Amino acid sequence: MTHSTRGRVRRVLAGGLATSTLAAAVLIAGAAPATAQSGLQDGPEPTIHTQQAYAPEDDFTAKWTRADARQLQRMSDPTAPSRENSMPASVTMPTVPQDFPDMSNEQVWVWDTWPLTDEDANQYSVNGWEIIFSLVADRNLGFDDRHVFAKIGYFYRPAGVPAAERPENGGWTYGGLVFKEGVTGQIFEDQSFSHQTQWSGSARVSKNGEIKLFFTDVAFYRNSDGTNIKPYDPRIALSVGKVKANKKGVTLTGFNKVTDLLQADGTYYQTGAQNEFFNFRDPFTFEDPAHPGETFMVFEGNSAMQRETATCNEADLGYRQGDPYAETVDDVNASGATYQIGNVGLAKAKNKQLTEWEFLPPILSANCVTDQTERPQIYFKDGKSYLFTISHRGTFAAGLDGPEGVYGFVGDGIRSDYQPLNGGSGLALGNPTNLNFLGGQPFAPDFNQHPGHFQAYSHYVMPGGLVQSFIDTIGTHDDFVRGGTLAPTVKMDIGVGGDPTKTAVDYSYGSEGLGGWADIPANKHLFTNGKFGVAVSDEAAQKIRKILGSKFDDYLDGKPVSATVRALIEKLLAQYGG
């Protein structure tokens, strides 16, 4: 279904607003020129990273340095004119059209979304239904007011249907909210919160249909004018429920209790007492093949320093000795860059129930680079560990600039001296962006900016390099449309040409690089009737359904089937189950 005028927010403003250009790089006055690498603008060389792995418990934190991040501006074409992309096409998401369908049929705003997965990040359908979780909010709210009213909802759709055969909006059915009102607020000792909300996380499914939903449980304490009475209180939390899926659709049960897992500690991860604008959210859990039987979690944090006295050092800047484009520590610290001290945290489960966790040191810091390392995830491929995270153009530190999108790092283990991808910049998949012009804000994009500058955000990298995200704003100052639904899925090739440090957009995927709208395909399929659970591959699921037809659905729904059919079902499940 395509958005109606009521279902989307459109701004059409007369005339345009000219803006000044941004500097292509921050240069030290009087510095001797350096010879630029082929295809790059003049600027510093990236930091040398070894990709060496360390034990998860070791006190080593990789650094995404200013020298690394300044490669973003070196990659940008300084001659790109108004409303044209200045970044390389290989790392740029194709432009999303303004006339997009709404996956919720105008029921809710939709943004951060994650699939139902196992410990290896395989994505599951259950009894023939694909299931996703999303942050949702009432469409009566303004789109930019949604964050303090966010709830976790879920969607489902038939599995195994090619994108070209689905309804244009992806074929999803909105199932409703996961939690009943009041459940997630119970963990806060101070019940005087003005707003209580739920933010992003991840969902793990067991073969019996149990779902462990990890998420960010948040309480705000604000005055009526929006100022803080005291800092907001985000906590990484867990709630457990079950999925019931039959021919009629999908329902969730349980999720009536929340377990408080982690609160920022002020040692590794900044607290509200250190900075009322701190970040602590977005748990993603996984198992590491190098450490079988252990479960880890990555999440977004900030380095644990006081906001007003934070400083960055030579290692945070990361310049090579004698680099004529290097900044000084004093200049960076005086620039205001110290307000941007994002990191990616690591925690380890202390029990099999995943209800007790301990902090480990961060695996990545971005001090004086960016304030936000949102929705981090670990992705394993060809013996390498990839760390993907997302960041905004507007959260880069003073003197740095780069597109909204996915930033990636590669190493030999989950704790490594991570090397930023693609020439040391870290940019894996960005929105079309012109770094020669200011960006504005999603609610007021710049006149000269590319229409896709804010088109997609909150990317999630799926098996096979598929990437889903949500639509924020498409267009420029005089003609733009707000989103609130999922964007087309795109495909990112990881390890291009056998080089693990390179990614590239697959423009042969879908239509000129854009796949199906809101397309989040399962690559594993769980069959359960409450007494057993078997997970099978795509190919096996198709074979079983072709052989058994509707009898299989009857069996999964607990309806009577003949002894012969039952025996055949159990034989096939035993044969194909993994």
Side-chain angles (χ1 to χ4, degrees), residues 31 67 159 237 289-290 449:
Q449 193 49 245

Side-chain angles (χ1 to χ4, degrees), residues 211-228:
I211 297 174
K212 293 183 183 295
L213 180 60
F214 298 88
F215 69 104
T216 315
D217 206 351
V218 186
F220 286 93
Y221 302 87
R222 289 182 169 177
N223 294 305
S224 58
D225 63 0
T227 58
N228 286 339

Side-chain angles (χ1 to χ4, degrees), residues 350-399:
K350 298 168 66 175
N351 62 0
K352 296 297 183 182
Q353 295 74 33
L354 308 185
T355 57
E356 298 178 12
W357 293 76
E358 61 181 341
F359 281 127
L360 298 176
I363 58 174
L364 183 78
S365 71
N367 294 342
C368 289
V369 172
T370 185
D371 191 50
Q372 292 188 350
T373 50
E374 294 187 283
R375 299 195 68 197
Q377 59 182 118
I378 297 291
Y379 188 101
F380 297 104
K381 186 177 188 293
D382 298 333
K384 292 289 189 177
S385 297
Y386 289 85
L387 168 62
F388 291 112
T389 185
I390 54 177
S391 202
H392 287 290
R393 187 179 184 192
T395 60
F396 277 104

Side-chain angles (χ1 to χ4, degrees), residues 177-352:
L177 300 178
V178 173
F179 297 104
K180 293 182 179 178
E181 188 65 32
V183 170
T184 59
Q186 295 174 3
I187 68 171
F188 298 100
E189 295 79 16
D190 185 349
Q191 291 285 300
S192 68
F193 43 77
S194 56
H195 304 80
Q196 200 280 302
T197 191
Q198 304 144 23
W199 286 351
S200 297
S202 55
R204 292 268 293 270
V205 65
S206 302
K207 289 184 178 179
N208 66 357
E210 181 184 81
I211 297 174
K212 293 183 183 295
L213 180 60
F214 298 88
F215 69 104
T216 315
D217 206 351
V218 186
F220 286 93
Y221 302 87
R222 289 182 169 177
N223 294 305
S224 58
D225 63 0
T227 58
N228 286 339
I229 299 171
K230 69 175 186 176
Y232 82 121
D233 187 355
R235 304 181 182 192
I236 291 174
L238 167 67
S239 188
V240 180
K242 293 199 74 172
V243 57
K244 180 180 179 181
N246 56 31
K247 286 186 287 188
K248 295 180 180 179
V250 174
T251 56
L252 302 179
T253 60
F255 300 111
N256 51 19
K257 178 184 176 183
V258 174
T259 301
D260 188 351
L261 301 181
L262 293 168
Q263 301 176 38
D265 62 349
T267 300
Y268 295 127
Y269 307 106
Q270 193 178 56
T271 66
Q274 294 170 321
N275 173 16
E276 64 176 320
F277 308 109
F278 75 117
N279 299 301
F280 182 73
R281 56 179 180 254
D282 304 344
F284 174 89
T285 69
F286 63 97
E287 290 190 8
D288 179 7
H291 300 87
E294 296 183 350
T295 298
F296 297 91
M297 173 196 296
V298 288
F299 54 90
E300 177 187 7
N302 286 136
S303 299
M305 294 184 273
Q306 291 287 339
R307 174 177 171 82
E308 299 303 330
T309 58
T311 58
C312 295
N313 56 36
E314 291 280 2
D316 295 320
L317 275 58
Y319 293 108
R320 302 185 194 185
Q321 186 173 1
D323 193 320
Y325 289 93
E327 305 160 290
T328 68
V329 170
D330 288 344
D331 284 345
V332 171
N333 284 337
S335 71
T338 54
Y339 290 124
Q340 283 73 44
I341 49 174
N343 69 18
V344 174
L346 185 68
K348 179 181 176 181
K350 298 168 66 175
N351 62 0
K352 296 297 183 182

Side-chain angles (χ1 to χ4, degrees), residues 5-296:
T5 303
R6 181 178 64 86
R8 62 180 174 182
V9 181
R10 187 179 184 91
R11 293 277 179 86
V12 182
L13 302 179
L17 179 63
T19 60
S20 61
T21 61
L22 293 176
V26 178
L27 306 181
I28 304 302
T35 301
Q37 298 179 29
S38 177
L40 296 177
Q41 305 307 310
D42 290 346
E45 295 300 308
T47 304
I48 295 173
H49 299 275
T50 66
Q51 300 185 33
Q52 176 184 345
Y54 297 81
E57 296 80 9
D58 281 359
D59 189 16
F60 174 85
T61 298
K63 290 183 179 294
W64 185 17
T65 68
R66 287 183 67 88
D68 295 329
R70 284 178 64 186
Q71 305 310 303
L72 294 163
Q73 290 164 308
R74 297 190 70 196
M75 295 162 61
S76 178
D77 178 3
T79 67
S82 173
R83 302 195 178 195
E84 295 294 329
N85 177 44
S86 73
M87 304 303 293
S90 61
V91 290
T92 299
M93 182 178 178
T95 304
V96 178
Q98 279 191 345
D99 192 18
F100 50 83
D102 172 30
M103 66 181 293
S104 81
N105 293 319
E106 301 185 5
Q107 294 183 77
V108 288
W109 297 124
V110 178
W111 62 110
D112 297 10
T113 296
W114 58 98
L116 193 61
T117 66
D118 63 12
E119 64 277 4
D120 299 317
N122 290 302
Q123 297 179 185
Y124 278 79
S125 72
V126 179
N127 292 349
W129 297 96
E130 292 172 341
I131 302 168
I132 57 175
F133 296 85
S134 299
L135 296 189
V136 300
D138 192 318
R139 277 184 174 258
N140 290 320
L141 292 168
F143 189 52
D144 294 302
D145 298 327
R146 67 192 187 279
H147 298 289
V148 295
F149 298 99
K151 305 293 183 184
I152 298 174
Y154 73 100
F155 293 81
Y156 57 92
R157 69 177 186 181
V161 180
E165 299 176 16
R166 295 189 184 278
E168 188 186 16
N169 71 350
W172 294 102
T173 296
Y174 178 52
L177 300 178
V178 173
F179 297 104
K180 293 182 179 178
E181 188 65 32
V183 170
T184 59
Q186 295 174 3
I187 68 171
F188 298 100
E189 295 79 16
D190 185 349
Q191 291 285 300
S192 68
F193 43 77
S194 56
H195 304 80
Q196 200 280 302
T197 191
Q198 304 144 23
W199 286 351
S200 297
S202 55
R204 292 268 293 270
V205 65
S206 302
K207 289 184 178 179
N208 66 357
E210 181 184 81
I211 297 174
K212 293 183 183 295
L213 180 60
F214 298 88
F215 69 104
T216 315
D217 206 351
V218 186
F220 286 93
Y221 302 87
R222 289 182 169 177
N223 294 305
S224 58
D225 63 0
T227 58
N228 286 339
I229 299 171
K230 69 175 186 176
Y232 82 121
D233 187 355
R235 304 181 182 192
I236 291 174
L238 167 67
S239 188
V240 180
K242 293 199 74 172
V243 57
K244 180 180 179 181
N246 56 31
K247 286 186 287 188
K248 295 180 180 179
V250 174
T251 56
L252 302 179
T253 60
F255 300 111
N256 51 19
K257 178 184 176 183
V258 174
T259 301
D260 188 351
L261 301 181
L262 293 168
Q263 301 176 38
D265 62 349
T267 300
Y268 295 127
Y269 307 106
Q270 193 178 56
T271 66
Q274 294 170 321
N275 173 16
E276 64 176 320
F277 308 109
F278 75 117
N279 299 301
F280 182 73
R281 56 179 180 254
D282 304 344
F284 174 89
T285 69
F286 63 97
E287 290 190 8
D288 179 7
H291 300 87
E294 296 183 350
T295 298
F296 297 91

Side-chain angles (χ1 to χ4, degrees), residues 89-92 421-422 427-429 465 467 490-497 499 501-507:
S90 61
V91 290
T92 299
L421 300 177
N422 296 320
L427 181 62
L429 177 68
V467 184
V490 298
K491 186 173 185 293
M492 180 173 64
D493 294 330
I494 302 170
V496 175
D499 185 343
T501 70
K502 292 184 178 179
T503 65
V505 175
D506 184 351
Y507 282 93

